[in-house]
Coordinates of all heavy atoms in Angstrom, one line a residue:
F1 N 43.9 55.3 14.6 CA 44.7 54.7 13.5 C 45.7 53.8 14.1 O 46.4 54.1 15.1 CB 45.3 55.8 12.7 CG 44.4 56.7 11.9 CD1 43.0 56.7 12.1 CD2 44.9 57.5 10.9 CE1 42.2 57.4 11.3 CE2 44.1 58.3 10.1 CZ 42.7 58.3 10.3
T2 N 46.0 52.7 13.4 CA 47.1 51.8 13.8 C 47.9 51.4 12.6 O 47.3 51.0 11.5 CB 46.5 50.5 14.4 OG1 45.6 50.9 15.5 CG2 47.6 49.6 14.9
I3 N 49.2 51.5 12.7 CA 50.1 51.1 11.6 C 50.6 49.7 11.9 O 50.9 49.4 13.1 CB 51.2 52.1 11.4 CG1 52.1 51.8 10.2 CG2 52.1 52.3 12.6 CD1 53.0 52.9 9.8
S4 N 50.8 48.9 10.9 CA 51.4 47.6 11.1 C 52.1 47.2 9.8 O 52.0 47.9 8.8 CB 50.3 46.6 11.4 OG 49.4 46.4 10.4
R5 N 52.9 46.1 9.9 CA 53.7 45.7 8.7 C 53.7 44.2 8.7 O 53.7 43.5 9.7 CB 55.1 46.2 8.7 CG 55.9 45.8 9.9 CD 57.2 46.6 10.0 NE 58.1 46.5 8.9 CZ 59.0 47.4 8.5 NH1 59.1 48.5 9.2 NH2 59.7 47.1 7.4
N6 N 53.8 43.7 7.5 CA 53.9 42.2 7.2 C 55.1 42.1 6.3 O 55.0 42.3 5.1 CB 52.7 41.6 6.6 CG 52.8 40.1 6.5 OD1 53.8 39.6 6.2 ND2 51.6 39.5 6.6
N7 N 56.3 41.8 6.9 CA 57.5 41.7 6.0 C 57.4 40.6 5.0 O 58.0 40.7 3.9 CB 58.7 41.6 6.9 CG 59.0 42.9 7.7 OD1 58.6 43.9 7.4 ND2 59.8 42.7 8.8
A8 N 56.8 39.5 5.4 CA 56.7 38.4 4.4 C 55.9 38.8 3.2 O 56.2 38.3 2.1 CB 56.0 37.2 5.1
K9 N 54.9 39.7 3.3 CA 54.2 40.2 2.2 C 54.7 41.5 1.6 O 54.1 42.1 0.7 CB 52.7 40.4 2.6 CG 52.0 39.1 2.9 CD 50.5 39.3 3.1 CE 49.8 38.0 3.4 NZ 48.3 38.2 3.6
N10 N 55.8 42.0 2.3 CA 56.4 43.3 1.8 C 55.3 44.4 1.8 O 55.3 45.2 0.9 CB 57.1 43.2 0.5 CG 58.5 43.7 0.5 OD1 59.2 43.6 1.5 ND2 58.9 44.2 -0.6
T11 N 54.5 44.4 2.8 CA 53.4 45.3 2.8 C 53.2 46.0 4.2 O 53.5 45.4 5.2 CB 52.1 44.6 2.5 OG1 52.2 44.0 1.2 CG2 50.9 45.5 2.5
V12 N 52.8 47.3 4.2 CA 52.5 48.0 5.4 C 51.1 48.4 5.3 O 50.5 48.7 4.2 CB 53.4 49.3 5.5 CG1 53.1 50.1 6.7 CG2 54.9 48.9 5.5
Y13 N 50.5 48.5 6.5 CA 49.0 48.8 6.6 C 48.8 50.0 7.5 O 49.5 50.3 8.4 CB 48.3 47.6 7.1 CG 48.5 46.3 6.4 CD1 49.5 45.4 6.8 CD2 47.8 46.0 5.2 CE1 49.7 44.2 6.1 CE2 48.0 44.8 4.5 CZ 49.0 43.9 5.0 OH 49.2 42.8 4.3
L14 N 47.6 50.6 7.2 CA 47.1 51.7 8.1 C 45.7 51.4 8.4 O 44.9 51.6 7.5 CB 47.3 53.1 7.5 CG 47.0 54.2 8.5 CD1 47.9 54.3 9.7 CD2 47.0 55.6 7.7
Q15 N 45.3 50.9 9.5 CA 44.0 50.7 9.9 C 43.4 52.0 10.5 O 43.9 52.5 11.5 CB 43.9 49.6 11.0 CG 42.5 49.3 11.4 CD 41.5 48.7 10.4 OE1 41.9 47.9 9.6 NE2 40.3 49.3 10.3
M16 N 42.3 52.5 9.9 CA 41.7 53.7 10.3 C 40.3 53.5 10.8 O 39.5 53.1 10.0 CB 41.8 54.7 9.1 CG 43.1 54.9 8.5 SD 43.2 56.2 7.2 CE 42.1 55.5 6.0
N17 N 40.1 53.8 12.0 CA 38.8 53.6 12.6 C 38.2 55.0 13.1 O 39.0 56.0 13.2 CB 38.8 52.7 13.8 CG 39.3 51.3 13.5 OD1 39.0 50.8 12.4 ND2 40.0 50.7 14.4
S18 N 36.9 55.0 13.3 CA 36.3 56.3 13.8 C 36.7 57.5 13.0 O 37.1 58.5 13.5 CB 36.7 56.5 15.3 OG 36.3 55.4 16.1
L19 N 36.6 57.3 11.7 CA 37.0 58.4 10.8 C 36.2 59.6 10.9 O 35.0 59.5 11.1 CB 37.0 57.8 9.3 CG 38.2 56.9 9.0 CD1 37.9 56.1 7.8 CD2 39.4 57.8 8.7
K20 N 36.9 60.7 10.7 CA 36.2 62.1 10.8 C 36.4 62.8 9.5 O 37.3 62.5 8.7 CB 36.9 62.9 11.9 CG 36.9 62.2 13.3 CD 37.7 63.0 14.3 CE 37.8 62.4 15.6 NZ 38.6 63.2 16.6
P21 N 35.5 63.8 9.2 CA 35.7 64.5 8.0 C 37.0 65.2 7.8 O 37.6 65.3 6.7 CB 34.6 65.6 8.1 CG 33.5 64.9 8.9 CD 34.3 64.1 9.9
E22 N 37.6 65.5 8.9 CA 39.0 66.2 8.8 C 40.1 65.2 8.5 O 41.2 65.6 8.3 CB 39.3 66.9 10.2 CG 39.1 66.0 11.4 CD 37.8 66.3 12.1 OE1 36.7 66.4 11.4 OE2 37.8 66.4 13.3
D23 N 39.8 63.9 8.4 CA 40.7 62.9 8.0 C 40.8 62.8 6.4 O 41.6 62.1 5.9 CB 40.4 61.5 8.5 CG 40.5 61.4 10.0 OD1 41.5 62.0 10.6 OD2 39.6 60.8 10.7
T24 N 39.9 63.5 5.8 CA 39.9 63.6 4.3 C 41.2 64.1 3.8 O 41.6 65.2 4.1 CB 38.7 64.4 3.8 OG1 37.5 63.8 4.2 CG2 38.8 64.6 2.3
A25 N 41.8 63.3 2.9 CA 43.2 63.7 2.4 C 43.6 62.6 1.4 O 43.0 61.5 1.3 CB 44.2 63.8 3.5
V26 N 44.7 62.9 0.7 CA 45.4 61.9 0.0 C 46.5 61.3 1.0 O 47.2 62.0 1.6 CB 46.1 62.4 -1.3 CG1 46.9 61.3 -2.0 CG2 45.1 63.0 -2.2
Y27 N 46.5 60.0 1.1 CA 47.4 59.3 2.0 C 48.5 58.7 1.2 O 48.3 58.0 0.3 CB 46.6 58.2 2.8 CG 45.8 58.8 3.9 CD1 44.6 59.5 3.6 CD2 46.1 58.7 5.2 CE1 43.8 60.1 4.6 CE2 45.4 59.3 6.2 CZ 44.2 60.0 5.9 OH 43.4 60.5 6.9
Y28 N 49.7 59.0 1.7 CA 50.9 58.5 1.1 C 51.7 57.6 2.0 O 51.9 57.8 3.2 CB 51.9 59.7 0.7 CG 51.2 60.7 -0.2 CD1 50.5 61.7 0.2 CD2 51.4 60.5 -1.6 CE1 50.0 62.7 -0.7 CE2 50.9 61.4 -2.5 CZ 50.2 62.5 -2.0 OH 49.6 63.4 -2.9
C29 N 52.3 56.5 1.4 CA 53.2 55.6 2.1 C 54.6 56.0 1.7 O 54.9 56.5 0.6 CB 52.9 54.2 1.6 SG 54.0 53.0 2.1
A30 N 55.5 55.8 2.7 CA 56.9 56.2 2.5 C 57.9 55.2 3.1 O 57.5 54.6 4.2 CB 57.2 57.6 3.0
Q31 N 59.0 55.1 2.6 CA 60.1 54.2 3.1 C 61.4 54.9 3.3 O 61.8 55.7 2.5 CB 60.3 53.0 2.1 CG 61.3 52.0 2.7 CD 61.4 50.8 1.7 OE1 61.4 51.0 0.5 NE2 61.6 49.6 2.3

């Protein structure tokens, strides 16, 4: 997983690769 941000777009990202069944969840963003 890689987190990144684009302040100009006021957006944060989470790139998730090689996903596993144990990654199943509700994902929350926080500030």
Side-chain angles (χ1 to χ4, degrees):
F1 291 11
T2 303
I3 187 171
S4 61
R5 63 193 296 157
N6 185 327
N7 290 341
K9 294 186 176 181
N10 230 32
T11 300
V12 178
Y13 305 96
L14 185 68
Q15 177 67 43
M16 305 187 297
N17 300 327
S18 302
L19 282 160
K20 305 175 181 179
E22 51 263 44
D23 295 319
T24 294
V26 177
Y27 283 72
Y28 298 90
C29 172
Q31 184 178 36

